[in-house]
Amino acid sequence: MREYRFDIDESYMDRFFSPIKNKAQFIELLMNSLKYMLLNQNIKKERVRGEIILIIDKMSRLFFVKDKKCFSIVFPFSVKYEDVFSFSFKNRMNIDGRLTSEVISFINDSDFESNCSIEFASSIYEYQESNDDSYWDLIRELLLMEGGYLRYDHDPNNYEKHNKSDVHPLNHFDLFYSSNATFKIGLKGIIEPAEFIDLLNVKTVCKFIG
């Protein structure tokens, strides 16, 4: 198993811990994570507010950790580390800062929400023609992939708002991110990041409900 850890500077916390409600926000989180890991900055201890953990094994996942909260998504890229990090898509398309910026720009452009398929396709075609033939393959993969989103939350504020009821348990898992699909599984107590990672490790003993 390969494991890489990246301290999160306080100025980046909103990029990684803002709510995810749809696939576009999921893709933007993934691209911002790649950008941040490519920088691989040395963060002053007093500015560290969280951590990104990349684990490559039979599972391939990103974990985002801060005080009593953590969540995870799948990581669909290959990674190499030889003094610096490099990432690739299907071992044929290099993922660099320029490409991640292009993807972020694409999903935030009005053409992405257009009712016209030609407008949607035009920016993809233009970038692919002038830069990389694999660009559409990447966009298609990002749009169709299963995100594998799971979040652990210790949430006293909403627990209080719900009169300390099990409608919104103090400690819980949130599964999926869209409003039509998400649901909670209550927990008896706080769990540590290592326990959360182990839960998603397909090579360790399974956990049971009930």
Side-chain angles (χ1 to χ4, degrees):
M1 181 176 76
R2 289 179 291 158
E3 180 179 307
Y4 308 101
R5 292 176 177 259
F6 307 83
D7 290 330
I8 303 176
D9 184 88
E10 59 185 5
S11 63
Y12 283 80
M13 290 297 286
D14 286 345
R15 297 191 192 187
F16 300 127
F17 289 94
S18 295
I20 300 173
K21 299 297 183 183
N22 55 51
K23 177 56 76 72
Q25 292 171 348
F26 171 89
I27 293 171
E28 186 165 5
L29 169 68
L30 187 56
M31 293 298 105
N32 277 324
S33 301
L34 285 162
K35 278 181 174 294
Y36 194 82
M37 292 187 293
L38 284 167
L39 291 173
N40 193 23
Q41 305 172 82
N42 290 318
I43 309 301
K44 293 181 179 179
K45 186 175 181 180
E46 63 269 20
R47 293 184 60 86
V48 174
R49 295 293 180 271
E51 186 177 32
I52 298 173
I53 305 170
L54 171 60
I55 294 180
I56 306 295
D57 198 11
K58 191 172 182 181
M59 69 169 176
S60 182
R61 279 186 168 272
L62 284 170
F63 295 85
F64 302 82
V65 179
K66 67 175 183 176
D67 185 39
K68 296 181 181 177
K69 296 178 187 289
C70 49
F71 71 94
S72 177
I73 61 175
V74 298
F75 187 76
F77 304 110
S78 301
V79 57
K80 292 182 180 178
Y81 180 70
E82 296 175 358
D83 296 326
V84 295
F85 283 93
S86 62
F87 302 100
S88 63
F89 172 62
K90 294 185 177 179
N91 292 314
R92 68 172 186 266
M93 183 182 193
N94 184 47
I95 308 294
D96 57 17
R98 182 188 178 197
L99 179 59
T100 57
S101 294
E102 176 64 28
V103 174
I104 291 172
S105 177
F106 167 68
I107 62 172
N108 285 295
D109 190 273
S110 59
D111 288 347
F112 187 73
E113 301 290 341
S114 174
N115 293 324
C116 176
S117 59
I118 294 175
E119 290 180 1
F120 173 81
S122 61
S123 61
I124 298 174
Y125 176 78
E126 289 170 6
Y127 187 88
Q128 181 162 311
E129 281 292 290
S130 58
N131 293 279
D132 196 308
D133 289 340
S134 297
Y135 184 60
W136 167 235
D137 290 341
L138 170 66
I139 295 297
R140 182 177 57 213
E141 175 73 14
L142 292 173
L143 292 173
L144 296 178
M145 66 180 284
E146 165 59 58
Y149 179 86
L150 178 66
R151 183 174 80 243
Y152 161 70
D153 199 0
H154 174 82
D155 190 358
N157 291 333
N158 280 308
Y159 183 56
E160 293 285 346
K161 288 179 183 178
H162 287 82
N163 298 314
K164 298 184 178 181
S165 76
D166 286 342
V167 171
H168 195 110
L170 177 61
N171 297 284
H172 61 267
F173 290 129
D174 286 299
L175 284 78
F176 313 123
Y177 51 73
S178 64
S179 58
N180 290 331
T182 186
F183 65 95
K184 300 182 187 302
I185 295 178
L187 299 168
K188 295 297 185 182
I190 291 172
I191 66 169
E192 298 299 324
E195 297 176 87
F196 183 72
I197 292 171
D198 182 67
L199 173 71
L200 294 172
N201 188 346
V202 296
K203 294 174 71 174
T204 61
V205 175
C206 285
K207 306 299 183 292
F208 290 81
I209 298 175

